[in-house]
Amino acid sequence: MKKEKNTEILSPGARVVRWVLSIILMIYTGITIFALSITVMDSLKSKGDIVTNFVGFPKQLTMESYFRVLKEANLLLYLKNSVVLTVGGTLGCILLAGLTAYGISRFDFKGKNFLSGYFLMGMMVPVQVSVLPLFLILKRIGLLNNIFGMMLVYASGISMACFIFQKFFHTIPVALEESARIDGAGDFRIFFQIIAPLCKPVVMTVALITAISQWNDFYMPMVLLGKKTSNTLTLVIYQYIGQFTKFMSESMAAVVITLIPVIVLYFLFSSKIVEGLTGGAVKG
């Protein structure tokens, strides 16, 4: 017997919308690739070449900009700050969001609906609204201009992560936990030994989205990390751009160095993001 092929049934209006969206996405992708290509090429040009030939191919490839950035700008220190901040903030966010979402999805308590709505509202409120309270709180507890204080700020941004975890937990059968409770397991043991191992796809999704967002963040470190020794890579790029005409090639090299981890993570784990986001829909 011949297998029936799955065919899409779309109305004419839906097809037009899909084509329009496809064209917009292709244009956006083309502009992004063009801008990235210009950045990489300019980072490989000499200072004289970049002034006279900003858009074209380098007349002669040189790594001088990378060497100057790594040596003179102490970029390795800022790279370490960014890595420590991103890893610590991401792990803290996953732990807090996972525990919070598990409590909301599994237990009935007064104010449960309000708490769920509160986290949804947190996804809609711009980060600029919370800057002044965060600044005053960190100053009061002595963690202003401190990597650990900034890490706590990142770890507390659990609105989107909590929403993703909560939807995923609803797909896990409650019978698994009930059988564990009969054997005498407590809530924390159930979470870490039974629930957590089942959450690898969604954990990977939340980790990648959170890590990329924190790695590229400029606004919060600019406000909360004023000390030079605690600066991140994004702040160093801003310092170069502030002296645009003199350090153009160095700024491009710093941008490329900052983009490399993000691009590598995307190509390695992009499929995991889609799998984690759609896991609840497939199982539900």
Side-chain angles (χ1 to χ4, degrees):
M1 294 180 66
K2 295 183 179 180
K3 295 182 179 180
E4 295 183 1
K5 295 183 179 180
N6 294 326
T7 57
E8 289 184 314
I9 302 177
L10 296 175
S11 64
R15 292 179 181 177
V16 172
V17 171
R18 188 174 67 172
W19 275 104
V20 171
L21 291 177
S22 299
I23 293 172
I24 293 174
L25 289 175
M26 286 189 291
I27 293 174
Y28 176 79
T29 303
I31 293 173
T32 303
I33 294 174
F34 176 75
L36 182 61
S37 303
I38 294 298
T39 302
V40 174
M41 288 191 297
D42 286 348
S43 68
L44 298 172
K45 296 176 183 178
S46 61
K47 287 187 176 181
D49 190 13
I50 199 172
V51 173
T52 58
N53 183 30
F54 182 77
V55 178
F57 289 96
K59 296 178 180 178
Q60 184 177 359
L61 297 177
T62 176
M63 300 291 291
E64 292 179 3
S65 301
Y66 290 92
F67 291 133
R68 282 197 296 268
V69 167
L70 292 173
K71 183 178 179 181
E72 299 174 7
N74 203 12
L75 200 70
L76 294 179
L77 172 63
Y78 306 132
L79 176 62
K80 184 196 74 172
N81 291 340
S82 293
V83 171
V84 171
L85 186 57
T86 302
V87 172
T90 301
L91 291 178
C93 179
I94 291 173
L95 180 61
L96 289 176
L99 290 171
T100 304
Y102 180 71
I104 294 174
S105 62
R106 284 298 190 263
F107 300 101
D108 291 324
F109 54 90
K110 188 176 181 179
K112 175 179 176 178
N113 293 331
F114 171 79
L115 189 60
S116 298
Y118 174 79
F119 286 117
L120 286 176
M121 287 293 295
M123 299 171 60
M124 307 174 193
V125 177
V127 67
Q128 289 82 0
V129 176
S130 61
V131 167
L132 181 57
L134 287 173
F135 183 90
L136 296 176
I137 292 172
L138 292 178
K139 185 178 181 181
R140 179 66 62 88
I141 64 178
L143 291 178
L144 189 64
N145 300 327
N146 187 288
I147 289 291
F148 182 70
M150 191 70 224
M151 195 182 299
L152 292 178
V153 172
Y154 280 155
S156 64
I158 64 173
S159 295
M160 184 187 66
C162 186
F163 176 78
I164 297 174
F165 272 118
Q166 189 176 344
K167 294 302 179 183
F168 185 83
F169 288 148
H170 284 306
T171 67
I172 299 177
V174 182
L176 293 175
E177 301 157 61
E178 292 176 346
S179 60
R181 285 194 176 90
I182 293 174
D183 294 334
D187 292 328
F188 282 98
R189 185 178 178 185
I190 291 173
F191 177 80
F192 287 106
Q193 293 188 0
I194 297 176
I195 303 299
L198 300 175
C199 299
K200 289 182 180 179
V202 72
V203 167
M204 183 67 70
T205 300
V206 173
L208 287 173
I209 295 175
T210 305
I212 292 174
S213 174
Q214 294 178 3
W215 180 269
N216 291 329
D217 187 24
F218 167 76
Y219 184 77
M220 297 299 283
M222 181 186 68
V223 176
L224 303 177
L225 294 177
K227 192 184 296 183
K228 190 172 182 180
T229 54
S230 61
N231 280 355
T232 60
L233 285 176
T234 52
L235 295 179
V236 176
I237 295 172
Y238 177 73
Q239 292 174 4
Y240 277 119
I241 294 176
Q243 304 179 45
F244 187 87
T245 56
K246 186 177 180 181
F247 296 106
M248 189 63 185
S249 57
E250 285 86 349
S251 65
M252 294 297 182
V255 169
V256 173
I257 293 173
T258 306
L259 285 176
I260 288 175
V262 177
I263 295 174
V264 171
L265 285 175
Y266 176 78
F267 280 106
L268 289 178
F269 302 108
S270 59
S271 60
K272 297 293 182 181
I273 298 178
V274 178
E275 180 183 349
L277 290 174
T278 59
V282 173
K283 293 183 181 179

